[in-house]
Amino acid sequence: MIIAANWKAYVEDIERAKKLVATGKRLARGGIHQIIIAPPGIFLSLLASGNRSALAFAAQDVSHTTGGAQTGENTAQAYAAAGATFAIIGHSERRALGDTNAIVAEKLAHALAQGLTPILCIGERERDEESRYLSLLREELETAFAPLSAKERQRVVLAYEPIWAIGKGAADAMRPEELAEMVLYIRKVLAQFLPGKAATNARILYGGSVEPANIRALAAQSQVDGFLVGHASIDPPSFQSLAKALS
Ligand code: PEP
């Protein structure tokens, strides 16, 4: 199972960041789970430098540019140089700030070109009775996957994150049986781009109010390969409890 900790902008203190990384390294040690931490970009180099543990680091986003006169941008190449091996792409909080499907596709290409493993986020804002949200998910997947080569498609890790379930408590997260259906749906759409067993083998994470209280049921009753966790990953005991609940 993959546990990817998206710190967002919650962690603003380097000492706190170091403590969380120490917890992440301990959790990664046994190799039972793949632990990934996505710190604020400015901390990445400091936290990842000299890392010889099984803990991996992710960028929370990458620039749509590839460098040059672009004040304030952090490119995929710079993240890779700072020690990231993964990159979250298309998170709903970035989409809310203007990342369209076309921009997400560009960012995905830059991440892949720099050897980063993209964690591509997709998810509907709300559920409607006509199930239009399914078409929206299909479109997010299609625009991201269509331009990629067969090899690149296989490198993408997906994170299904229904926006309505993000940032709440375990009680408001998606129910495990609903998640099981969504994972099947996503694999069905992926089959268009990943032939044969590749769609079945594609790694799909779930994100949205995953907490120690619900992570086990979500894992047991759906075919997810792990979780992208926000608020429950930013203090050591809770982070530890997530891994323990899954073991
Ligand atoms: C997220 O935004 O990626 C996320 C999963 O957040 P939370 O766990 O806080 O719902």
Side-chain angles (χ1 to χ4, degrees):
M1 282 268 156
I2 297 173
I3 304 177
N6 177 11
W7 290 0
K8 310 191 182 193
Y10 287 126
V11 180
E12 298 170 279
D13 172 306
I14 191 66
E15 290 313 316
R16 182 176 171 203
K18 285 181 182 167
K19 278 190 192 133
L20 275 163
V21 165
T23 304
K25 286 184 177 170
R26 261 199 315 279
L27 297 178
R29 205 174 288 152
I32 300 172
H33 305 302
Q34 178 167 23
I35 309 289
I36 304 164
I37 283 180
I42 197 152
F43 291 157
L44 185 66
S45 187
L46 192 67
L47 298 174
S49 110
N51 176 36
R52 271 181 261 291
S53 75
L55 175 69
F57 289 90
Q60 292 185 7
D61 184 32
V62 300
S63 174
H64 66 286
T65 71
T66 49
Q70 303 283 348
T71 304
E73 291 295 323
N74 294 309
T75 62
Q77 186 170 353
Y79 275 115
T85 50
F86 288 81
I88 299 172
I89 306 285
H91 190 281
S92 58
E93 286 153 15
R94 301 309 312 175
R95 290 183 191 260
L97 292 174
D99 279 14
T100 58
N101 282 342
I103 292 174
V104 169
E106 260 185 279
K107 291 184 171 188
L108 195 57
H110 296 330
L112 285 161
Q114 294 306 321
L116 298 170
T117 300
I119 302 176
L120 172 67
C121 299
I122 57 164
E124 74 279 7
R125 183 159 298 284
E126 58 191 7
R127 290 281 166 108
D128 59 295
E129 286 185 3
E130 292 79 34
S131 300
R132 278 197 297 266
Y133 67 93
L134 293 177
S135 316
L136 180 137
L137 289 177
R138 175 182 286 278
E139 200 182 320
E140 287 186 342
L141 280 170
E142 285 177 351
T143 45
F145 272 76
L148 303 181
S149 70
K151 272 202 175 143
E152 287 173 332
R153 287 171 183 173
Q154 294 192 23
R155 284 172 50 203
V156 178
V157 176
L158 272 167
Y160 171 54
E161 298 210 305
I163 300 168
W164 52 266
I166 289 181
K168 299 182 175 162
D172 297 305
M174 178 164 256
R175 284 182 287 115
E177 57 278 15
E178 277 179 306
L179 178 58
E181 278 173 22
M182 292 311 298
V183 173
L184 287 179
Y185 175 73
I186 291 167
R187 289 200 197 283
K188 202 171 126 197
V189 177
L190 284 179
Q192 210 180 307
F193 299 101
L194 296 166
K197 281 224 159 86
T200 323
N201 293 340
R203 290 164 294 172
I204 302 180
L205 314 183
Y206 167 74
S209 300
V210 175
E211 294 184 345
N214 61 353
I215 193 168
R216 195 182 173 90
L218 286 164
Q221 294 175 48
S222 72
Q223 298 214 320
V224 285
D225 301 286
F227 297 91
L228 180 54
V229 187
H231 66 271
S233 72
I234 54 158
D235 89 295
S238 168
F239 192 19
Q240 223 162 301
S241 301
L242 289 166
K244 197 166 165 219
L246 270 188
S247 298

